[in-house]
Amino acid sequence: MTNSFISRGLNSRLSRRRLLQGSAGIIGGSLLPAMPALADDKPALGTYPAGASGSSVFIGISVPRTGTYAVQGEDELKGYQLAIEHINSGHDLIKKISPKTSKGVLGKELKFGVADSAAKPNEAVQAQQRFISENKAIMITGGTSSAVAVALNKLAQREKVLFVCGISGSNDTTGKDCVRYGFRQDFFGQTAAAAIGPVMVKAFGKNKKAAYLTPDYTYGHTVTKSMQDFLASAGWTTATNQVAPLGAPDYSSYLLNVANSGADVLINVNWGHDAVLSTQQAKQFGVLDRMKLVIPYQVPFIARETGGLMQGVYAATDYWWTIEDKFPLAKMFNDAFAAKYGYKPEWGAENAYVSFAHWARMCEEAGSFYPPDVIKAYEKGETIPSFVGDVHYRAEDHQCVRPVIIVKGKMEKDMKNKEDYYDVVEIVPSEGLMQKPDAFGCHLGEYS
């Protein structure tokens, strides 16, 4: 099928270029006959059983391919594509995470479609609704913007189709906006703050003043709040919190207020191109000559794109490729990714791959694509492999319990190669990083 076919009929605000056919192909899920149940006699729910009745199943993927998060979205997409390729071929790396996988999931080939969300919730929801309605998507995935992730949580719960979140840093995603049909593998504001906070206090001392640059949506507000709450325990205060809209073209007015705030440390919560631009402008306006810079929720490619401004800067991240010395699965992933794409994977790609591999494992463990069975496989909380060691999912909020990695930008003279941007300062264990399951207002919905 052609790109024009799959884009035809979308809301006019979702242009053809935003909905692209995945390289593995589109199946005509909307043409499948309605069936009351499969051999396991499960009742019809969401896209089940129609979406699982053929020789393949369809996945809907939405990532930003344009806009301020486009670079990160493309990296995330590469992780999804590699995972699908590995699942369909029965690659050894997938088998390490999902031992029951042979080729495909439950013997069915994965096919997929890709939509450009542009980090806009409405566009992501329109595209994923199309994948659900027309292609009978058995699972949807994506994110990058937490506003998109929260919107897709709601869509998944309403349509009773699993949403496996790709990237989302907001506490709300598995907090007040959690749903029974949504799962998240990556780290988030609370765990980032609990991991990097002690490192900051040790490096800079107690009773310091912090200035924040905060993007004006759920990700920014919850990450900033988590940082403020943790640092207050060490006597830190907020000199100023400058809140800017997503995609702001100019940070000069915000940075002027930061420069005049008397802060000791600039905590830049911005993400994607916003983080790159605001950091570059902070240097141009002399802010980084007056105060230290910290990135509490690291941005893939920021070291490359800011031209050395991350040297000596602390950041919290989901993954950094040099941990391959400690984790054999990380080495396998790095090698496979670099062989296919020509560079070392950043954490967007890593997170997408692992999230997909975990979903495949849960389907295999459940022995079915029936959504409540797959959800309950996650909720068993079994210890499972990842690229940062063994992890598990909490039944109460569907958040993966996993370590957070603290890195510090290397000086150029210490870099061993062009991608050796960071020293791994610490791999902070998951114990003690996460809030109690109900602390952020999570109340999961119904299974059906």
Side-chain angles (χ1 to χ4, degrees):
M1 296 185 188
T2 65
N3 289 349
S4 60
F5 178 86
I6 64 170
S7 63
R8 190 170 63 236
L10 281 178
N11 185 296
S12 61
R13 288 175 296 173
L14 185 62
S15 63
R16 283 176 56 193
R17 67 186 177 85
R18 296 208 187 285
L19 190 58
L20 306 174
Q21 180 174 336
S23 60
I26 298 290
I27 63 170
S30 61
L31 303 179
L32 294 173
M35 298 176 63
L38 291 180
D40 57 7
D41 199 31
K42 301 290 186 183
L45 184 66
T47 57
Y48 183 93
S53 61
S55 60
S56 61
V57 293
F58 183 90
I59 308 298
I61 301 172
S62 57
V63 293
R65 310 192 75 178
T66 55
T68 189
Y69 291 173
V71 172
Q72 291 71 35
E74 288 295 331
D75 186 57
E76 184 182 1
L77 178 58
K78 288 180 174 66
Y80 287 133
Q81 291 171 326
L82 185 62
I84 291 170
E85 177 184 310
H86 282 184
I87 289 169
N88 283 339
S89 65
H91 193 279
D92 286 345
L93 178 55
I94 285 291
K95 290 179 179 292
K96 296 288 186 181
I97 298 173
S98 179
K100 294 181 181 179
T101 294
S102 53
K103 288 187 177 182
V105 177
L106 295 172
K108 295 180 185 288
E109 181 186 6
L110 297 186
K111 296 190 176 183
F112 67 98
V114 178
D116 174 13
S117 71
K120 297 178 180 178
N122 287 345
E123 296 206 8
V125 168
Q126 289 166 20
Q128 293 288 16
Q129 183 69 70
R130 173 81 175 198
F131 288 144
I132 291 169
S133 300
E134 298 297 326
N135 301 103
K136 300 296 181 283
I138 205 72
M139 185 265 276
I140 60 175
T141 188
T144 310
S145 161
S146 289
V148 168
V150 167
L152 292 181
N153 261 354
K154 294 175 182 178
L155 175 67
Q157 187 68 25
R158 185 180 76 232
E159 297 294 329
K160 298 298 182 285
V161 173
L162 262 71
F163 168 51
V164 176
C165 182
I167 297 174
S168 174
S170 173
N171 294 340
D172 294 342
T173 306
T174 50
K176 71 179 182 65
D177 293 310
C178 72
V179 295
R180 182 72 64 181
Y181 276 71
F183 295 87
R184 175 169 61 181
Q185 189 270 149
D186 70 316
F187 77 132
F188 55 104
Q190 165 64 32
T191 55
I196 200 169
V199 175
M200 292 171 61
V201 173
K202 182 178 179 181
F204 307 132
K206 296 182 177 181
N207 305 314
K208 298 297 182 180
K209 294 180 181 180
Y212 293 84
L213 287 177
T214 301
D216 192 11
Y217 74 111
T218 179
Y219 156 75
H221 294 302
T222 61
V223 173
T224 292
K225 178 67 163 56
S226 292
M227 290 299 298
Q228 289 171 325
D229 288 348
F230 182 89
L231 292 172
S233 65
W236 284 49
T237 57
T238 299
T240 185
N241 180 22
Q242 296 294 306
V243 180
L246 194 67
D250 181 8
Y251 288 86
S252 57
S253 62
Y254 308 107
L255 290 167
L256 178 61
N257 291 332
V258 168
N260 293 329
S261 69
D264 304 296
V265 179
L266 170 60
I267 300 176
N268 193 351
V269 182
N270 282 299
W271 214 76
H273 182 65
D274 290 352
V276 173
L277 184 61
S278 58
T279 299
Q280 290 173 332
Q281 291 184 4
K283 179 62 176 177
Q284 292 167 6
F285 296 139
V287 173
L288 300 187
D289 297 326
R290 301 186 186 189
M291 58 192 72
K292 299 292 185 180
L293 172 66
V294 171
I295 307 290
Y297 201 83
Q298 187 237 29
V299 182
F301 305 106
I302 190 171
R304 182 191 73 188
E305 295 192 10
T306 54
L309 295 183
M310 287 297 290
Q311 293 179 31
V313 174
Y314 289 102
T317 187
D318 195 269
Y319 179 81
W320 182 243
W321 68 269
T322 61
I323 66 169
E324 66 182 21
D325 293 340
K326 296 182 176 64
F327 300 107
L329 295 190
K331 178 70 163 63
M332 291 179 68
F333 173 64
N334 292 342
D335 289 349
F337 188 93
K340 185 173 181 65
Y341 297 113
Y343 68 92
K344 297 293 186 182
E346 292 263 356
W347 74 264
E350 171 270 338
N351 190 65
Y353 187 106
V354 173
S355 297
F356 225 112
H358 284 175
W359 169 78
R361 179 189 175 106
M362 297 309 171
C363 293
E364 297 285 358
E365 291 298 318
S368 172
F369 290 106
Y370 183 57
D373 289 350
V374 180
I375 291 169
K376 290 172 184 177
Y378 275 99
E379 291 176 345
K380 287 181 180 179
E382 294 179 337
T383 299
I384 55 178
S386 80
F387 299 156
V388 293
D390 289 342
V391 300
H392 69 275
Y393 288 81
R394 292 204 304 198
E396 299 91 344
D397 60 0
H398 293 181
Q399 174 63 49
C400 184
V401 181
R402 45 150 300 138
V404 173
I405 297 169
I406 305 301
V407 296
K408 185 179 183 182
K410 281 190 172 185
M411 305 307 292
E412 185 174 6
K413 63 181 178 61
D414 297 322
M415 292 173 59
K416 297 177 181 177
N417 57 61
K418 65 179 182 179
E419 294 180 284
D420 186 28
Y421 290 113
Y422 298 104
D423 280 318
V424 174
V425 175
E426 187 176 356
I427 300 175
V428 185
S430 59
E431 293 78 9
L433 292 181
M434 289 174 62
Q435 77 290 350
K436 292 181 180 180
D438 61 350
F440 294 153
C442 177
H443 299 286
L444 296 172
E446 300 299 321
Y447 292 94
S448 62

